[in-house]
Amino acid sequence: MSCTSGTDAVAALATLLDVTPIEPDLFRGARYTGGRGRVFGGQVVAQALMSAYRTIGEDQPVHSLHAYFMRPGDEALPIAYRTLADYDGNSFSTRRVVALQNDLPILTMSASFQRREDGLEHGVAMPDVPPPEALAEDDKSGGGSPIMAHFLKRFTAFEFRPIPPFGEPAPEAQPGPSRLWFRLAAPGPSDPALQAAMLAYLSDFGLLTTAVLPHGIPLFGGRIQPASLDHALWLHAAPSLDQWHLFTMESPWAGGGRALTRGIFHAWDGRHIASVAQEGLIRPVKAD
């Protein structure tokens, strides 16, 4: 990706994830240009986070969010975000956000913000993996899957360096984690809220793929009905997405048509900066 196209893609992502105030505590999210069908869940989570951020002081970064997806969003329609200030304390503030289309909720989210302070520190050590410089850049072609290729168009603002095997359309059954290096394709916004929103956006990428890897079934092969059900993200440190980050993800359990997935984000210097968990629908599609 050229510098110019990378800059344009990052600017477009920042525009997509930011929100416009309509009235106090009500915001409107931008629509994904050229989108059709169902709204990407990471977009709704990121825009809901930005709506909450716009009601919080600059000295209180987000440290956690918990969201439930209730209805698929329609990319042809705008999304409104109603924000409720549940609590403002000396250290913590909490917000509830409801994402609405046609006056119906498609997502609810709670987010907590904390004033910066020092304390005891520990985290998961970065795994011993090849550095991004030793890996081939992902061309986002989808590995021969047209559906995956269409989905990956949403991520042109990022440069990916997957650690094989990762995301093959019809992989052999394989247990264990999937790992992906990523960074923005050009310098990103300086706004810490937008940086956090971009990480929230990306945190919905790839998780459900790990739920089907142990079974050798492609996520978008028509054999299962995939969908995100809920999403939780903990931000332990402010991300700096101009630098390489490692996203390690896995699925420890599946049953009843659902799967639990989880992931860890490491910064380029080995710091454990964020954790994510998601339960998703992987319902088998019955033949007619």
Side-chain angles (χ1 to χ4, degrees):
M1 178 180 291
S2 69
C3 180
T4 300
S5 61
T7 300
D8 292 344
V10 172
L13 179 62
T15 299
L16 173 66
L17 300 187
D18 208 350
V19 292
T20 302
I22 303 173
E23 58 186 56
D25 300 325
L26 182 64
F27 302 86
R28 179 184 293 115
R31 291 168 53 194
Y32 173 66
T33 303
R36 64 181 188 273
R38 189 168 64 184
V39 179
F40 172 52
Q43 174 187 325
V44 188
V45 170
Q47 289 179 339
L49 175 59
M50 287 302 299
S51 301
Y53 245 119
R54 295 314 182 207
T55 70
I56 294 288
E58 293 183 359
D59 61 337
Q60 286 184 291
V62 64
H63 73 88
S64 69
L65 62 86
H66 301 265
Y68 281 95
F69 299 97
M70 293 176 291
R71 295 177 175 88
D74 186 344
E75 289 191 313
L77 301 174
I79 305 176
Y81 294 89
R82 175 69 69 183
T83 303
L84 304 174
D86 284 339
Y87 178 73
D88 286 301
N90 292 329
S91 298
F92 292 88
S93 294
T94 58
R95 296 293 185 267
R96 273 183 295 158
V97 183
V98 181
L100 300 159
Q101 280 191 327
N102 289 330
D103 295 325
L104 293 174
I106 64 172
L107 172 139
T108 60
M109 188 186 81
S110 297
S112 181
F113 302 77
Q114 180 190 13
R115 286 188 172 86
R116 295 176 177 85
E117 57 183 88
D118 296 326
L120 301 174
E121 295 185 7
H122 67 265
V124 174
M126 178 181 278
D128 185 11
V129 297
E133 295 80 8
L135 300 166
E137 182 177 355
D138 188 357
D139 60 7
K140 299 186 178 67
S141 64
S145 168
I147 298 177
M148 180 63 78
H150 176 71
F151 175 71
L152 288 172
K153 290 180 180 179
R154 303 173 187 275
F155 298 95
T156 55
F158 295 94
E159 182 181 356
F160 290 158
R161 299 287 175 91
I163 298 175
F166 184 94
E168 294 89 343
E172 296 181 358
Q174 56 182 42
S178 295
R179 295 187 173 100
L180 173 76
W181 287 103
F182 70 92
R183 66 179 177 185
L184 287 173
S190 58
D191 183 359
L194 272 173
Q195 288 270 348
M198 287 180 172
L199 185 66
Y201 178 83
L202 188 71
S203 70
D204 192 29
F205 173 79
L207 284 169
L208 276 186
T209 300
T210 67
V212 294
L213 283 177
H215 308 279
I217 298 174
L219 187 64
F220 295 118
R223 296 171 59 183
I224 62 169
Q225 177 189 354
S228 302
L229 297 175
D230 61 9
H231 194 83
L233 177 66
W234 297 265
L235 292 99
H236 314 310
S240 180
L241 300 182
D242 297 348
Q243 305 289 335
W244 287 110
H245 285 63
L246 180 67
F247 187 13
T248 300
M249 60 199 90
E250 62 181 350
S251 177
W253 172 89
R258 309 186 320 277
L260 176 65
T261 63
R262 60 192 180 193
I264 292 176
F265 293 92
H266 285 99
W268 70 98
D269 58 4
R271 289 177 298 123
H272 178 183
I273 66 154
S275 305
V276 63
Q278 181 183 97
E279 192 174 46
L281 187 71
I282 53 168
R283 178 184 290 149
V285 175
K286 296 180 180 179
D288 294 335

